[in-house]
């Protein structure tokens, strides 16, 4: 062991000798120089005030913006970064000309809270003239028992259940397909929230909570404000109407 540590010491000295020769700066100074970025990174992450280098925005929902935080509690801290700043603007300079689903044809199948129904007025747009050659059906879409990445593992029920004008749906997610003259002419996915009677029996006499939960997944708070500002406006209106 002594021999080994001796060898390491020699190697270390040789290294610094070589290093000093090429840089002409003593080793200790190099260590100090290299520590500066480390300290800088540590300080910008630890000291909340440094998040104030970004200009503050007026229209942020939470009042408590102590020292550059949107939310600052013991358990949760979210920095108050600006929704719009000139630094970010270049990434958002695009024109959105609306969503163009289904080659801009109107939907052939629509839904309400409980049912799917065929939109007869759209049939002509899909060149369906002989109803005998036409039908729509739905399959349940469900998750598989996850192995690995859960969100990408799903399956459809093997039977496609035909429906005519309308059908009540008991499943949460369904894929609808419409066939005309043996050709698939339409495909769409629908989500439902069927009551789950087997999960909770409600006590009809008890006073019920009145809560509306709206969830939007897959987008950061800041990008939600940047890219879905009409939705932000709508939600704010909803809150102010009800408070
Ligand atoms: C949904 O549509 C079906 C078929 O048109 C209708 O029978 C049902 O009452 C509607 N349900 C709601 C909640 O609007
Ligand atoms: C319907 O027929 C017209 C005329 O043949 C054609 O231009 C159009 O693309 C057809 N539409 C569909 C959805 O197939
Ligand atoms: C949403 O953002 C666009 C582009 O910045 C702007 O023109 C529009 O007025 C904003 N709409 C609302 C409701 O704030």
């Amino acid at each position: 062991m002594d021999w080994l540590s001796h060898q390491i010491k020699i190697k270390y000295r040789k290294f610094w000798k070589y290093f000093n020769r090429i840089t002409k700066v003593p080793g200790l100074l190099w260590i100090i120089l290299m520590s500066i970025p480390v300290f800088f990174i540590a300080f910008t992450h630890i000291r909340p005030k440094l998040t104030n280098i970004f200009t503050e925005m007026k229209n942020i929902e939470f009042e408590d913006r102590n020292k550059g935080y949107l939310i600052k509690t013991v358990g949760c801290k979210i920095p108050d970064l600006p929704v719009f700043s000139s630094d970010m603007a270049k990434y958002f300079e695009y024109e959105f000309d609306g969503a163009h689903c289904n080659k801009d044809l109107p939907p052939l199948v629509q839904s309400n809270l409980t049912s799917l129904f065929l939109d007869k007025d759209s049939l002509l747009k899909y060149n369906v003239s002989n109803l005998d050659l036409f039908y729509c059906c739905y399959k349940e879409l469900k998750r598989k028992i996850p192995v690995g990445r859960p969100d990408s593992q799903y399956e459809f029920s093997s039977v496609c259940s035909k429906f005519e004008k309308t059908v009540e749906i008991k499943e949460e997610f369904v894929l609808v397909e419409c066939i005309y003259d043996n050709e698939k002419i339409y495909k769409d996915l629908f989500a439902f929230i069927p009551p789950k009677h087997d999960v909770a029996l409600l006590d009809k006499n008890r006073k019920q909570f009145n809560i509306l939960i709206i969830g939007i997944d897959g987008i950061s708070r800041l990008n939600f404000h940047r890219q879905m500002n009409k939705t932000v406006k709508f939600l704010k209106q909803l809150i102010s109407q009800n408070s």
Side-chain angles (χ1 to χ4, degrees), residues 109-117 166-169 190 192:
V109 176
Q110 310 238 31
S111 71
N112 60 14
L113 275 179
T114 54
S115 308
L116 290 170
F117 44 91
T166 180
V167 63
E168 197 184 330
I169 300 296
F190 294 84
F192 294 91

Side-chain angles (χ1 to χ4, degrees), residues 84 226 229-230 233:
F84 295 104
R226 286 172 191 138
N229 64 354
K230 288 180 187 163
K233 193 177 161 196

Side-chain angles (χ1 to χ4, degrees), residues 1-12:
M1 274 318 271
D2 275 355
W3 176 81
L4 189 64
S5 58
H6 186 65
Q7 290 299 309
I8 291 172
K9 268 183 203 154
I10 291 173
K11 283 247 153 52
Y12 180 76

Side-chain angles (χ1 to χ4, degrees), residues 208-219:
Q208 311 253 312
F209 289 120
N210 185 4
I211 299 176
L212 175 64
I213 296 176
I214 301 174
I216 299 172
D217 192 12
I219 189 165

Side-chain angles (χ1 to χ4, degrees), residues 2-237:
D2 275 355
W3 176 81
L4 189 64
S5 58
H6 186 65
Q7 290 299 309
I8 291 172
K9 268 183 203 154
I10 291 173
K11 283 247 153 52
Y12 180 76
R13 276 191 211 124
K14 270 191 183 162
F15 170 78
W16 279 118
K17 249 190 197 162
Y18 177 70
F19 196 74
N20 292 339
R21 205 169 67 222
I22 56 165
T23 57
K24 301 242 183 336
V25 180
L28 189 65
L29 190 60
W30 268 104
I31 291 175
I32 293 169
L33 280 178
M34 283 189 229
S35 325
I36 290 172
V38 176
F39 274 103
F40 181 75
I41 290 167
F43 270 102
T44 51
H45 280 73
I46 291 163
R47 287 196 38 203
K49 270 194 178 160
L50 283 185
T51 55
N52 281 336
I53 52 177
F54 299 102
T55 51
E56 281 198 344
M57 290 296 295
K58 281 185 214 109
N59 56 344
I60 281 175
E61 309 88 324
F62 293 87
E63 291 306 314
D64 180 18
R65 286 190 275 144
N66 280 332
K67 293 176 186 160
Y69 282 105
L70 186 66
I71 294 179
K72 191 172 182 231
T73 65
V74 179
C76 176
K77 289 186 176 64
I78 299 179
D80 184 12
L81 301 175
V83 174
F84 295 104
S85 72
S86 49
D87 296 338
M88 297 299 293
K90 61 176 179 285
Y91 298 106
F92 297 101
E93 278 169 4
Y94 59 81
E95 285 289 315
F96 179 62
D97 69 339
H100 295 280
C101 302
N102 198 26
K103 297 175 191 150
D104 283 343
L105 288 173
L108 191 49
V109 176
Q110 310 238 31
S111 71
N112 60 14
L113 275 179
T114 54
S115 308
L116 290 170
F117 44 91
L118 188 65
D119 194 334
K120 286 243 155 124
D121 295 338
S122 302
L123 282 172
L124 277 181
K125 294 265 164 53
Y126 290 81
N127 297 340
V128 174
S129 47
N130 184 353
L131 279 179
D132 293 337
L133 301 174
F134 174 82
Y135 71 88
C136 293
C137 64
Y138 69 92
K139 291 177 185 176
E140 183 183 10
L141 162 66
K142 53 191 168 186
R143 279 182 187 238
K144 281 196 209 170
I145 293 171
V147 183
R149 296 180 59 202
D151 286 344
S152 56
Q153 291 171 22
Y154 58 89
E155 61 191 357
F156 294 102
S157 57
S158 49
V159 205
C160 199
S161 313
K162 286 189 192 181
F163 63 96
E164 297 216 340
K165 283 179 193 143
T166 180
V167 63
E168 197 184 330
I169 300 296
K170 303 272 186 237
E171 293 84 0
E172 283 190 291
F173 306 103
V174 296
L175 168 71
V176 170
E177 288 174 346
C178 298
I179 315 289
Y180 184 56
D181 202 4
N182 294 320
E183 231 183 283
K184 198 187 290 174
I185 59 161
Y186 192 74
K187 192 170 148 183
D188 201 356
L189 283 153
F190 294 84
F192 294 91
I193 310 172
K196 302 207 168 174
H197 297 292
D198 52 339
V199 173
L201 284 171
L202 289 177
D203 177 0
K204 290 258 161 45
N205 300 319
R206 208 174 66 188
K207 204 175 170 191
Q208 311 253 312
F209 289 120
N210 185 4
I211 299 176
L212 175 64
I213 296 176
I214 301 174
I216 299 172
D217 192 12
I219 189 165
S220 72
R221 196 193 70 86
L222 284 172
N223 275 348
F224 176 59
H225 281 260
R226 286 172 191 138
Q227 295 171 332
M228 296 175 74
N229 64 354
K230 288 180 187 163
T231 311
V232 170
K233 193 177 161 196
F234 171 75
L235 289 177
K236 283 181 177 169
Q237 276 170 1

